[in-house]
Amino acid sequence: TDGTWLCLNLLSHNLVGDPAIAGMAITARDVTDEKNLERARRATSGANAALIHASTEGSLFDAICGVVVNETMYHLAWIGLSDPSRSLGVRMVAFADRSAAAYVEALEHLAGNETYTGPLVQALKTQQPFVVQDVAALPDATVWRSLALDFGYQAMIALPLRFSATDYGVLAIYSEAANVFTAETVQVLTEMANDLSFGVDALRTRAQRTDYRGRFEASLEATVRAIATATELRDPYTAGHQRRVAQLSTAIATAMGVGADETVGIATAASIHDIGKLLVPAGILSKPGRLSAAEFGIIAQHPEAGQEIVAGIDFPWPVAEMIMQHHERLDGSGYPDHLVGDQILLGARIIAVADVVEAMQSHRPYRPGLGIEAALRQIEHDRGTLLDGDAVDACLHLFREQGFAFNV
């Protein structure tokens, strides 16, 4: 009613099941903040890729601005570097959006007024991100308010870049929608700005690229952990399930002789393989009785939902595909695409074995845990028909001959 645009996730299905009766239930969930955060993460992922591949400072700045605008809902991004001779204290060195040059030129004219204390000045002065959630809500006397509205900008964030004590810059991002910079979004964009500062310093000093690679992998690992935690908070009955599946998948892959790098990719996918359950109603996840066909149909959508959630993250491995395929079975009886045999990625086949073992031995709302031996007998029975024979053999060897036990 206040004119704010929202992004909704709609779930509709026929509750009646009688063709003679019209009955439809539609559930709408506000996912605006989640979408805003997803876009920010997508920008960060693209920025990380740009940092790895950039060979010059200029190409890096251009790539960052391009990623921020092209991969998200933001409509302007520009980077300025310190220049005491300019009114803003910085000169624009890169931008994405054709109106950027005109906007910054007009902004510099305003900054010539000694009363100007806009977001850029505040960010540079405090060395902290400065956010304006709703430009239109600012007092009319704010000198840059009319300028931003004339260009169609409703919200903005100024992120300081610090290269040394005397060398600094700013990354400014503008949106044509208000209230898009949530606390979580600001945190993600701040991490991106910090990584950009580090990347520039690395380029200038010719620091070894392996140092950044370590930071990138640590950041990627932290992102994966955060995603996994979000899933488990949504479904407390399976808390720890993904971590244990990742632990067992890693052990199986190692026992099968899978390369170290590919094993890391498999572990990454395993640790978030159920991320798609974020879109499944909590009542279905925690239902103590047997699921109806309609409810199981909703649950069965989680591999596709998971693939969509992580598709925008630039993983070095086919993580999204493994998540999509972890419920496929060798004979084509799995879902969602009924793939057969080698059509299923090796990583997904390994995760499938680990998933079955961990799920059977653990407690669920609808049954007590069945124990490891029951789980091992099940995968032994399904060996070569539903589940990959080599992965099953490796799993059985781990438990029965090497004394493998979950410790997470």
Side-chain angles (χ1 to χ4, degrees):
T1 57
D2 64 356
T4 301
W5 283 92
L6 300 177
C7 183
L8 302 178
N9 175 275
L10 299 178
L11 176 67
S12 61
H13 56 95
N14 188 340
L15 287 179
V16 181
D18 186 339
I21 303 176
M24 183 70 71
I26 300 177
T27 302
R29 185 166 65 90
D30 184 356
V31 294
T32 308
D33 289 347
E34 294 175 26
K35 284 295 182 182
N36 289 334
L37 182 57
E38 177 186 332
R39 294 180 179 113
R41 284 176 174 155
R42 193 180 303 132
T44 300
S45 176
N48 282 337
L51 284 163
I52 290 174
H53 298 295
S55 57
T56 65
E57 193 173 309
S59 66
L60 173 59
F61 290 148
D62 289 338
I64 294 294
C65 290
V67 164
V68 169
V69 171
N70 296 329
E71 300 294 329
T72 70
M73 64 174 291
Y74 308 128
H75 294 79
L76 166 64
W78 65 276
I79 293 175
L81 298 184
S82 55
D83 186 345
S85 68
R86 310 299 284 262
S87 301
L88 290 173
V90 294
R91 57 182 172 82
M92 186 174 67
V93 295
F95 65 88
D97 184 90
R98 286 189 296 274
S99 64
Y103 176 76
V104 174
E105 182 179 353
L107 196 61
E108 284 194 323
H109 178 74
L110 284 178
N113 184 331
E114 62 181 11
T115 62
Y116 177 81
T117 58
L120 300 175
V121 171
Q122 294 298 320
L124 293 173
K125 180 179 179 180
T126 64
Q127 284 299 298
Q128 296 293 327
F130 194 93
V131 182
V132 178
Q133 295 286 16
D134 189 352
V135 174
L138 294 173
D140 292 340
T142 305
V143 293
W144 62 278
R145 174 183 180 275
S146 297
L147 176 63
L149 293 177
D150 287 344
F151 278 82
Y153 303 132
Q154 297 290 337
M156 70 89 63
I157 182 172
L159 299 158
L161 307 174
R162 174 65 69 177
F163 312 124
S164 69
T166 58
D167 194 6
Y168 55 86
V170 66
L171 168 60
I173 302 173
Y174 300 74
S175 171
E176 292 182 357
N179 302 308
V180 298
F181 298 110
T182 63
E184 293 85 357
T185 301
V186 171
Q187 181 179 357
V188 171
L189 293 176
T190 300
E191 291 175 0
M192 181 181 72
N194 291 339
D195 286 345
L196 175 56
S197 296
F198 175 83
V200 170
D201 184 63
L203 284 172
R204 289 179 176 180
T205 61
R206 300 297 179 184
Q208 295 180 352
R209 290 296 182 91
T210 52
D211 291 342
Y212 179 73
R213 179 69 183 181
R215 286 170 59 95
F216 171 71
E217 290 177 351
S219 176
L220 194 60
E221 183 179 349
T223 300
V224 170
R225 284 200 304 269
I227 294 174
T229 300
T231 310
E232 293 178 355
L233 289 175
R234 182 93 165 93
D235 184 12
Y237 288 102
T238 58
H241 167 70
Q242 293 184 123
R243 293 195 301 273
R244 290 188 288 273
V245 170
Q247 181 191 5
L248 181 53
S249 296
T250 301
I252 292 173
T254 302
M256 292 174 62
V258 177
D261 185 67
E262 186 177 357
T263 298
V264 172
I266 293 171
T268 299
S271 67
I272 54 174
H273 70 276
D274 278 339
I275 181 65
K277 287 184 177 179
L278 285 172
L279 302 184
V280 176
I284 295 179
L285 290 176
S286 58
K287 182 177 179 179
R290 182 178 295 276
L291 296 177
S292 67
E295 290 167 334
F296 180 78
I298 295 172
I299 286 280
Q301 296 173 11
H302 81 271
E304 295 174 276
Q307 189 270 343
E308 292 176 3
I309 290 172
V310 305
I313 301 178
D314 189 22
F315 287 108
W317 320 280
V319 170
E321 290 81 356
M322 286 187 277
I323 290 174
M324 179 80 155
Q325 298 176 10
H326 77 275
H327 276 294
E328 299 287 357
R329 295 297 181 258
L330 296 183
D331 63 355
S333 62
Y335 59 87
D337 294 323
H338 306 291
L339 302 178
V340 297
D342 290 341
Q343 290 179 333
I344 308 169
L345 291 174
L346 174 61
R349 284 179 269 152
I350 290 174
I351 293 171
V353 172
D355 194 24
V356 169
V357 171
E358 203 291 323
M360 287 190 65
Q361 65 94 37
S362 297
H363 173 76
R364 289 293 183 269
Y366 49 86
R367 59 147 176 84
L370 302 177
I372 283 294
E373 277 307 316
L376 296 182
R377 287 194 298 270
Q378 184 64 54
I379 64 170
E380 201 167 24
H381 175 269
D382 295 337
R383 181 191 183 281
T385 55
L386 302 180
L387 302 174
D388 182 89
D390 292 337
V392 168
D393 290 343
C395 184
L396 294 173
H397 179 77
L398 285 168
F399 279 98
R400 291 177 174 171
E401 298 183 37
Q402 294 191 356
F404 178 90
F406 294 110
N407 59 18
V408 292

